[in-house]
Amino acid sequence: GAVVSQHPSWVICKSGTSVKIECRSLDFQATTMFWYRQFPKQSLMLMATSNEGSKATYEQGVEKDKFLINHASLTLSTLTVTSAHPEDSSFYICSARGGQVFSYEQYFGPGTRLTVT
Amino acid sequence: SQQGEEDPQALSIQEGENATMNCSYKTSINNLQWYRQNSGRGLVHLILIRSNEREKHSGRLRVTLDTSKKSSSLLITASRAADTASYFCATDKGGSYIPTFGRGTSLIVHP
């Protein structure tokens, strides 16, 4: 099946710094990528949807200036957490969808655990 | 907000037993999907069942869908210790083609 990677797998940063997380589709072109956030023992909450070459669409309540998403190519999307605070500590998961826009098939990355101290 | 809600929140069984998890949702859907997540990992897609389907099988997995009750169930037969994971249902929330996840059921299978 299609493979999606994330880098880094985990990151620890100091409060006030910015952190960039990469999401790559390794063997297919991802027309759409999704970013989710997951707290321990909780559900995945969709943060934003990005289409290659377009601005990301953020879900209600997600600060677009804090969570910068760039989908510059068909294989790479990045999420930058700016001026990170301890409450931003979470598990961030991306997923990618290729081919048809009207398709339910999407592939998930392994996730990135962010800890802000 | 979450569309699907799984029940139970946690389930602990012995290897060889069957595990049943339920999912209820609120609005009409085009399809419902079940995913598996091992601790600290990404999600693996298990099964997609469309709104006009009532039952679907994949190996040891059996999924049912009752649109009149807005509910679905995932049955894992002859469970193995390797089935230990969290299981999530996801609905398309009115045809948005973006899955909306429930809180998940944490399954522990004891060897």
Side-chain angles (χ1 to χ4, degrees), chain B residues 36-63:
Chain B
R36 166 197 170 123
Q37 183 183 34
N38 286 74
S39 179
R41 305 289 296 172
L43 272 71
V44 174
H45 183 261
L46 297 177
I47 280 185
L48 179 151
I49 185 166
R50 301 189 188 283
S51 60
N52 61 354
E53 297 176 310
R54 291 296 167 259
E55 189 170 308
K56 208 161 182 181
H57 297 255
S58 177
R60 293 184 295 112
L61 306 181
R62 182 173 80 106
V63 168

PDB file of all heavy atoms in Angstrom, chain B residues 36-63:
ATOM      1  N   ARG B  36      -7.377   1.097  12.984  1.00  0.00           N
ATOM      2  CA  ARG B  36      -6.659   0.554  14.127  1.00  0.00           C
ATOM      3  C   ARG B  36      -5.439   1.421  14.375  1.00  0.00           C
ATOM      4  O   ARG B  36      -4.794   1.895  13.432  1.00  0.00           O
ATOM      5  CB  ARG B  36      -6.239  -0.883  13.805  1.00  0.00           C
ATOM      6  CG  ARG B  36      -5.207  -1.492  14.719  1.00  0.00           C
ATOM      7  CD  ARG B  36      -4.579  -2.707  14.079  1.00  0.00           C
ATOM      8  NE  ARG B  36      -3.430  -3.136  14.846  1.00  0.00           N
ATOM      9  CZ  ARG B  36      -3.287  -4.346  15.353  1.00  0.00           C
ATOM     10  NH1 ARG B  36      -4.220  -5.245  15.159  1.00  0.00           N
ATOM     11  NH2 ARG B  36      -2.205  -4.654  16.028  1.00  0.00           N
ATOM     12  N   GLN B  37      -5.112   1.638  15.655  1.00  0.00           N
ATOM     13  CA  GLN B  37      -3.927   2.407  16.014  1.00  0.00           C
ATOM     14  C   GLN B  37      -3.183   1.690  17.125  1.00  0.00           C
ATOM     15  O   GLN B  37      -3.713   1.520  18.221  1.00  0.00           O
ATOM     16  CB  GLN B  37      -4.301   3.824  16.462  1.00  0.00           C
ATOM     17  CG  GLN B  37      -3.090   4.691  16.775  1.00  0.00           C
ATOM     18  CD  GLN B  37      -3.464   6.065  17.290  1.00  0.00           C
ATOM     19  OE1 GLN B  37      -4.457   6.234  17.989  1.00  0.00           O
ATOM     20  NE2 GLN B  37      -2.687   7.081  16.926  1.00  0.00           N
ATOM     21  N   ASN B  38      -1.972   1.290  16.832  1.00  0.00           N
ATOM     22  CA  ASN B  38      -1.116   0.756  17.881  1.00  0.00           C
ATOM     23  C   ASN B  38      -0.575   1.933  18.689  1.00  0.00           C
ATOM     24  O   ASN B  38      -0.452   3.038  18.176  1.00  0.00           O
ATOM     25  CB  ASN B  38       0.022  -0.071  17.281  1.00  0.00           C
ATOM     26  CG  ASN B  38      -0.460  -1.406  16.762  1.00  0.00           C
ATOM     27  OD1 ASN B  38      -1.104  -1.476  15.725  1.00  0.00           O
ATOM     28  ND2 ASN B  38      -0.195  -2.461  17.504  1.00  0.00           N
ATOM     29  N   SER B  39      -0.234   1.670  19.928  1.00  0.00           N
ATOM     30  CA  SER B  39       0.157   2.726  20.856  1.00  0.00           C
ATOM     31  C   SER B  39       1.247   3.612  20.269  1.00  0.00           C
ATOM     32  O   SER B  39       2.303   3.127  19.872  1.00  0.00           O
ATOM     33  CB  SER B  39       0.638   2.094  22.166  1.00  0.00           C
ATOM     34  OG  SER B  39       1.031   3.087  23.069  1.00  0.00           O
ATOM     35  N   GLY B  40       0.970   4.913  20.202  1.00  0.00           N
ATOM     36  CA  GLY B  40       1.966   5.863  19.736  1.00  0.00           C
ATOM     37  C   GLY B  40       2.283   5.776  18.260  1.00  0.00           C
ATOM     38  O   GLY B  40       3.345   6.247  17.834  1.00  0.00           O
ATOM     39  N   ARG B  41       1.389   5.201  17.499  1.00  0.00           N
ATOM     40  CA  ARG B  41       1.636   5.035  16.070  1.00  0.00           C
ATOM     41  C   ARG B  41       0.516   5.669  15.245  1.00  0.00           C
ATOM     42  O   ARG B  41      -0.467   6.166  15.779  1.00  0.00           O
ATOM     43  CB  ARG B  41       1.733   3.544  15.723  1.00  0.00           C
ATOM     44  CG  ARG B  41       2.763   2.782  16.533  1.00  0.00           C
ATOM     45  CD  ARG B  41       4.152   3.158  16.149  1.00  0.00           C
ATOM     46  NE  ARG B  41       4.455   2.789  14.769  1.00  0.00           N
ATOM     47  CZ  ARG B  41       5.570   3.157  14.140  1.00  0.00           C
ATOM     48  NH1 ARG B  41       6.455   3.909  14.757  1.00  0.00           N
ATOM     49  NH2 ARG B  41       5.784   2.767  12.907  1.00  0.00           N
ATOM     50  N   GLY B  42       0.688   5.631  13.946  1.00  0.00           N
ATOM     51  CA  GLY B  42      -0.342   6.146  13.055  1.00  0.00           C
ATOM     52  C   GLY B  42      -1.488   5.166  12.917  1.00  0.00           C
ATOM     53  O   GLY B  42      -1.527   4.118  13.553  1.00  0.00           O
ATOM     54  N   LEU B  43      -2.426   5.519  12.071  1.00  0.00           N
ATOM     55  CA  LEU B  43      -3.618   4.702  11.894  1.00  0.00           C
ATOM     56  C   LEU B  43      -3.494   3.771  10.703  1.00  0.00           C
ATOM     57  O   LEU B  43      -2.926   4.127   9.674  1.00  0.00           O
ATOM     58  CB  LEU B  43      -4.841   5.592  11.697  1.00  0.00           C
ATOM     59  CG  LEU B  43      -5.550   6.022  12.967  1.00  0.00           C
ATOM     60  CD1 LEU B  43      -4.711   7.011  13.737  1.00  0.00           C
ATOM     61  CD2 LEU B  43      -6.912   6.606  12.646  1.00  0.00           C
ATOM     62  N   VAL B  44      -4.076   2.610  10.850  1.00  0.00           N
ATOM     63  CA  VAL B  44      -4.136   1.640   9.761  1.00  0.00           C
ATOM     64  C   VAL B  44      -5.599   1.435   9.400  1.00  0.00           C
ATOM     65  O   VAL B  44      -6.426   1.154  10.279  1.00  0.00           O
ATOM     66  CB  VAL B  44      -3.481   0.304  10.177  1.00  0.00           C
ATOM     67  CG1 VAL B  44      -3.676  -0.736   9.080  1.00  0.00           C
ATOM     68  CG2 VAL B  44      -2.004   0.511  10.478  1.00  0.00           C
ATOM     69  N   HIS B  45      -5.905   1.567   8.135  1.00  0.00           N
ATOM     70  CA  HIS B  45      -7.278   1.403   7.681  1.00  0.00           C
ATOM     71  C   HIS B  45      -7.640  -0.085   7.681  1.00  0.00           C
ATOM     72  O   HIS B  45      -6.890  -0.920   7.171  1.00  0.00           O
ATOM     73  CB  HIS B  45      -7.424   1.970   6.266  1.00  0.00           C
ATOM     74  CG  HIS B  45      -8.812   1.917   5.738  1.00  0.00           C
ATOM     75  ND1 HIS B  45      -9.247   0.942   4.884  1.00  0.00           N
ATOM     76  CD2 HIS B  45      -9.885   2.726   5.950  1.00  0.00           C
ATOM     77  CE1 HIS B  45     -10.514   1.154   4.591  1.00  0.00           C
ATOM     78  NE2 HIS B  45     -10.915   2.226   5.214  1.00  0.00           N
ATOM     79  N   LEU B  46      -8.798  -0.413   8.268  1.00  0.00           N
ATOM     80  CA  LEU B  46      -9.226  -1.804   8.338  1.00  0.00           C
ATOM     81  C   LEU B  46     -10.309  -2.108   7.314  1.00  0.00           C
ATOM     82  O   LEU B  46     -10.159  -2.999   6.480  1.00  0.00           O
ATOM     83  CB  LEU B  46      -9.740  -2.132   9.741  1.00  0.00           C
ATOM     84  CG  LEU B  46      -8.728  -2.033  10.878  1.00  0.00           C
ATOM     85  CD1 LEU B  46      -9.407  -2.305  12.210  1.00  0.00           C
ATOM     86  CD2 LEU B  46      -7.565  -2.982  10.663  1.00  0.00           C
ATOM     87  N   ILE B  47     -11.400  -1.401   7.400  1.00  0.00           N
ATOM     88  CA  ILE B  47     -12.554  -1.700   6.551  1.00  0.00           C
ATOM     89  C   ILE B  47     -13.351  -0.425   6.293  1.00  0.00           C
ATOM     90  O   ILE B  47     -13.483   0.414   7.183  1.00  0.00           O
ATOM     91  CB  ILE B  47     -13.475  -2.755   7.215  1.00  0.00           C
ATOM     92  CG1 ILE B  47     -12.933  -4.165   7.029  1.00  0.00           C
ATOM     93  CG2 ILE B  47     -14.883  -2.707   6.659  1.00  0.00           C
ATOM     94  CD1 ILE B  47     -13.871  -5.252   7.551  1.00  0.00           C
ATOM     95  N   LEU B  48     -13.895  -0.309   5.105  1.00  0.00           N
ATOM     96  CA  LEU B  48     -14.859   0.730   4.774  1.00  0.00           C
ATOM     97  C   LEU B  48     -16.168   0.038   4.417  1.00  0.00           C
ATOM     98  O   LEU B  48     -16.170  -0.903   3.617  1.00  0.00           O
ATOM     99  CB  LEU B  48     -14.377   1.579   3.598  1.00  0.00           C
ATOM    100  CG  LEU B  48     -15.301   2.708   3.101  1.00  0.00           C
ATOM    101  CD1 LEU B  48     -14.492   3.839   2.496  1.00  0.00           C
ATOM    102  CD2 LEU B  48     -16.322   2.209   2.078  1.00  0.00           C
ATOM    103  N   ILE B  49     -17.251   0.483   5.027  1.00  0.00           N
ATOM    104  CA  ILE B  49     -18.571  -0.075   4.694  1.00  0.00           C
ATOM    105  C   ILE B  49     -19.466   1.076   4.236  1.00  0.00           C
ATOM    106  O   ILE B  49     -19.509   2.142   4.863  1.00  0.00           O
ATOM    107  CB  ILE B  49     -19.177  -0.849   5.890  1.00  0.00           C
ATOM    108  CG1 ILE B  49     -20.499  -1.523   5.486  1.00  0.00           C
ATOM    109  CG2 ILE B  49     -19.373   0.050   7.111  1.00  0.00           C
ATOM    110  CD1 ILE B  49     -20.983  -2.574   6.484  1.00  0.00           C
ATOM    111  N   ARG B  50     -20.097   0.899   3.114  1.00  0.00           N
ATOM    112  CA  ARG B  50     -20.924   1.957   2.545  1.00  0.00           C
ATOM    113  C   ARG B  50     -22.325   1.923   3.149  1.00  0.00           C
ATOM    114  O   ARG B  50     -22.764   0.905   3.673  1.00  0.00           O
ATOM    115  CB  ARG B  50     -20.995   1.807   1.021  1.00  0.00           C
ATOM    116  CG  ARG B  50     -19.625   1.866   0.376  1.00  0.00           C
ATOM    117  CD  ARG B  50     -19.667   1.932  -1.136  1.00  0.00           C
ATOM    118  NE  ARG B  50     -18.341   1.796  -1.709  1.00  0.00           N
ATOM    119  CZ  ARG B  50     -17.437   2.770  -1.734  1.00  0.00           C
ATOM    120  NH1 ARG B  50     -17.738   3.954  -1.255  1.00  0.00           N
ATOM    121  NH2 ARG B  50     -16.253   2.567  -2.272  1.00  0.00           N
ATOM    122  N   SER B  51     -23.018   3.009   3.012  1.00  0.00           N
ATOM    123  CA  SER B  51     -24.319   3.146   3.661  1.00  0.00           C
ATOM    124  C   SER B  51     -25.349   2.158   3.129  1.00  0.00           C
ATOM    125  O   SER B  51     -26.331   1.850   3.809  1.00  0.00           O
ATOM    126  CB  SER B  51     -24.848   4.574   3.520  1.00  0.00           C
ATOM    127  OG  SER B  51     -24.981   4.912   2.158  1.00  0.00           O
ATOM    128  N   ASN B  52     -25.135   1.641   1.926  1.00  0.00           N
ATOM    129  CA  ASN B  52     -26.086   0.673   1.369  1.00  0.00           C
ATOM    130  C   ASN B  52     -25.664  -0.777   1.634  1.00  0.00           C
ATOM    131  O   ASN B  52     -26.278  -1.709   1.128  1.00  0.00           O
ATOM    132  CB  ASN B  52     -26.268   0.889  -0.134  1.00  0.00           C
ATOM    133  CG  ASN B  52     -24.970   0.714  -0.898  1.00  0.00           C
ATOM    134  OD1 ASN B  52     -23.907   0.540  -0.318  1.00  0.00           O
ATOM    135  ND2 ASN B  52     -25.055   0.756  -2.216  1.00  0.00           N
ATOM    136  N   GLU B  53     -24.613  -0.951   2.422  1.00  0.00           N
ATOM    137  CA  GLU B  53     -24.163  -2.279   2.808  1.00  0.00           C
ATOM    138  C   GLU B  53     -24.544  -2.537   4.257  1.00  0.00           C
ATOM    139  O   GLU B  53     -24.578  -1.621   5.074  1.00  0.00           O
ATOM    140  CB  GLU B  53     -22.642  -2.408   2.631  1.00  0.00           C
ATOM    141  CG  GLU B  53     -22.194  -2.244   1.179  1.00  0.00           C
ATOM    142  CD  GLU B  53     -20.683  -2.288   1.046  1.00  0.00           C
ATOM    143  OE1 GLU B  53     -20.003  -1.550   1.793  1.00  0.00           O
ATOM    144  OE2 GLU B  53     -20.202  -3.036   0.170  1.00  0.00           O
ATOM    145  N   ARG B  54     -24.793  -3.789   4.573  1.00  0.00           N
ATOM    146  CA  ARG B  54     -25.182  -4.142   5.937  1.00  0.00           C
ATOM    147  C   ARG B  54     -24.080  -4.904   6.678  1.00  0.00           C
ATOM    148  O   ARG B  54     -24.014  -4.855   7.908  1.00  0.00           O
ATOM    149  CB  ARG B  54     -26.452  -4.996   5.909  1.00  0.00           C
ATOM    150  CG  ARG B  54     -27.666  -4.216   5.463  1.00  0.00           C
ATOM    151  CD  ARG B  54     -28.003  -3.115   6.450  1.00  0.00           C
ATOM    152  NE  ARG B  54     -28.976  -2.166   5.892  1.00  0.00           N
ATOM    153  CZ  ARG B  54     -28.629  -0.978   5.401  1.00  0.00           C
ATOM    154  NH1 ARG B  54     -27.378  -0.584   5.399  1.00  0.00           N
ATOM    155  NH2 ARG B  54     -29.546  -0.167   4.921  1.00  0.00           N
ATOM    156  N   GLU B  55     -23.258  -5.595   5.925  1.00  0.00           N
ATOM    157  CA  GLU B  55     -22.221  -6.401   6.562  1.00  0.00           C
ATOM    158  C   GLU B  55     -21.042  -6.538   5.604  1.00  0.00           C
ATOM    159  O   GLU B  55     -21.217  -6.597   4.394  1.00  0.00           O
ATOM    160  CB  GLU B  55     -22.780  -7.781   6.913  1.00  0.00           C
ATOM    161  CG  GLU B  55     -21.880  -8.628   7.773  1.00  0.00           C
ATOM    162  CD  GLU B  55     -22.580  -9.892   8.282  1.00  0.00           C
ATOM    163  OE1 GLU B  55     -23.672  -9.761   8.853  1.00  0.00           O
ATOM    164  OE2 GLU B  55     -22.012 -10.981   8.095  1.00  0.00           O
ATOM    165  N   LYS B  56     -19.846  -6.578   6.204  1.00  0.00           N
ATOM    166  CA  LYS B  56     -18.656  -6.750   5.398  1.00  0.00           C
ATOM    167  C   LYS B  56     -17.627  -7.541   6.184  1.00  0.00           C
ATOM    168  O   LYS B  56     -17.519  -7.399   7.416  1.00  0.00           O
ATOM    169  CB  LYS B  56     -18.088  -5.388   5.017  1.00  0.00           C
ATOM    170  CG  LYS B  56     -17.320  -5.377   3.728  1.00  0.00           C
ATOM    171  CD  LYS B  56     -17.194  -3.961   3.200  1.00  0.00           C
ATOM    172  CE  LYS B  56     -16.469  -3.979   1.869  1.00  0.00           C
ATOM    173  NZ  LYS B  56     -16.311  -2.614   1.318  1.00  0.00           N
ATOM    174  N   HIS B  57     -16.876  -8.386   5.490  1.00  0.00           N
ATOM    175  CA  HIS B  57     -15.886  -9.232   6.147  1.00  0.00           C
ATOM    176  C   HIS B  57     -14.509  -8.956   5.567  1.00  0.00           C
ATOM    177  O   HIS B  57     -14.357  -8.641   4.392  1.00  0.00           O
ATOM    178  CB  HIS B  57     -16.225 -10.714   5.927  1.00  0.00           C
ATOM    179  CG  HIS B  57     -17.517 -11.146   6.521  1.00  0.00           C
ATOM    180  ND1 HIS B  57     -17.585 -11.908   7.676  1.00  0.00           N
ATOM    181  CD2 HIS B  57     -18.792 -10.903   6.157  1.00  0.00           C
ATOM    182  CE1 HIS B  57     -18.865 -12.136   7.967  1.00  0.00           C
ATOM    183  NE2 HIS B  57     -19.610 -11.539   7.067  1.00  0.00           N
ATOM    184  N   SER B  58     -13.507  -9.108   6.422  1.00  0.00           N
ATOM    185  CA  SER B  58     -12.122  -9.068   5.977  1.00  0.00           C
ATOM    186  C   SER B  58     -11.307  -9.911   6.942  1.00  0.00           C
ATOM    187  O   SER B  58     -11.004  -9.487   8.057  1.00  0.00           O
ATOM    188  CB  SER B  58     -11.595  -7.632   5.954  1.00  0.00           C
ATOM    189  OG  SER B  58     -10.228  -7.608   5.590  1.00  0.00           O
ATOM    190  N   GLY B  59     -10.976 -11.131   6.529  1.00  0.00           N
ATOM    191  CA  GLY B  59     -10.235 -12.016   7.425  1.00  0.00           C
ATOM    192  C   GLY B  59     -11.019 -12.298   8.700  1.00  0.00           C
ATOM    193  O   GLY B  59     -12.153 -12.760   8.651  1.00  0.00           O
ATOM    194  N   ARG B  60     -10.423 -11.974   9.841  1.00  0.00           N
ATOM    195  CA  ARG B  60     -11.089 -12.201  11.130  1.00  0.00           C
ATOM    196  C   ARG B  60     -11.987 -11.030  11.542  1.00  0.00           C
ATOM    197  O   ARG B  60     -12.535 -11.021  12.642  1.00  0.00           O
ATOM    198  CB  ARG B  60     -10.033 -12.445  12.211  1.00  0.00           C
ATOM    199  CG  ARG B  60      -9.244 -13.739  12.034  1.00  0.00           C
ATOM    200  CD  ARG B  60      -8.264 -13.980  13.189  1.00  0.00           C
ATOM    201  NE  ARG B  60      -7.232 -12.968  13.241  1.00  0.00           N
ATOM    202  CZ  ARG B  60      -7.116 -12.066  14.216  1.00  0.00           C
ATOM    203  NH1 ARG B  60      -7.957 -12.038  15.218  1.00  0.00           N
ATOM    204  NH2 ARG B  60      -6.131 -11.191  14.192  1.00  0.00           N
ATOM    205  N   LEU B  61     -12.116 -10.060  10.683  1.00  0.00           N
ATOM    206  CA  LEU B  61     -12.915  -8.882  10.999  1.00  0.00           C
ATOM    207  C   LEU B  61     -14.288  -8.981  10.336  1.00  0.00           C
ATOM    208  O   LEU B  61     -14.409  -9.380   9.182  1.00  0.00           O
ATOM    209  CB  LEU B  61     -12.222  -7.611  10.503  1.00  0.00           C
ATOM    210  CG  LEU B  61     -10.799  -7.371  10.956  1.00  0.00           C
ATOM    211  CD1 LEU B  61     -10.294  -6.062  10.376  1.00  0.00           C
ATOM    212  CD2 LEU B  61     -10.691  -7.374  12.466  1.00  0.00           C
ATOM    213  N   ARG B  62     -15.302  -8.598  11.103  1.00  0.00           N
ATOM    214  CA  ARG B  62     -16.642  -8.504  10.540  1.00  0.00           C
ATOM    215  C   ARG B  62     -17.249  -7.190  10.999  1.00  0.00           C
ATOM    216  O   ARG B  62     -17.277  -6.890  12.190  1.00  0.00           O
ATOM    217  CB  ARG B  62     -17.530  -9.653  11.001  1.00  0.00           C
ATOM    218  CG  ARG B  62     -18.940  -9.623  10.401  1.00  0.00           C
ATOM    219  CD  ARG B  62     -19.715 -10.886  10.778  1.00  0.00           C
ATOM    220  NE  ARG B  62     -20.258 -10.802  12.126  1.00  0.00           N
ATOM    221  CZ  ARG B  62     -21.545 -10.603  12.428  1.00  0.00           C
ATOM    222  NH1 ARG B  62     -22.413 -10.436  11.450  1.00  0.00           N
ATOM    223  NH2 ARG B  62     -21.953 -10.566  13.678  1.00  0.00           N
ATOM    224  N   VAL B  63     -17.710  -6.418  10.033  1.00  0.00           N
ATOM    225  CA  VAL B  63     -18.298  -5.119  10.330  1.00  0.00           C
ATOM    226  C   VAL B  63     -19.751  -5.138   9.903  1.00  0.00           C
ATOM    227  O   VAL B  63     -20.089  -5.621   8.822  1.00  0.00           O
ATOM    228  CB  VAL B  63     -17.550  -3.988   9.597  1.00  0.00           C
ATOM    229  CG1 VAL B  63     -18.337  -2.682   9.670  1.00  0.00           C
ATOM    230  CG2 VAL B  63     -16.166  -3.800  10.195  1.00  0.00           C
TER     231      VAL B  63
END
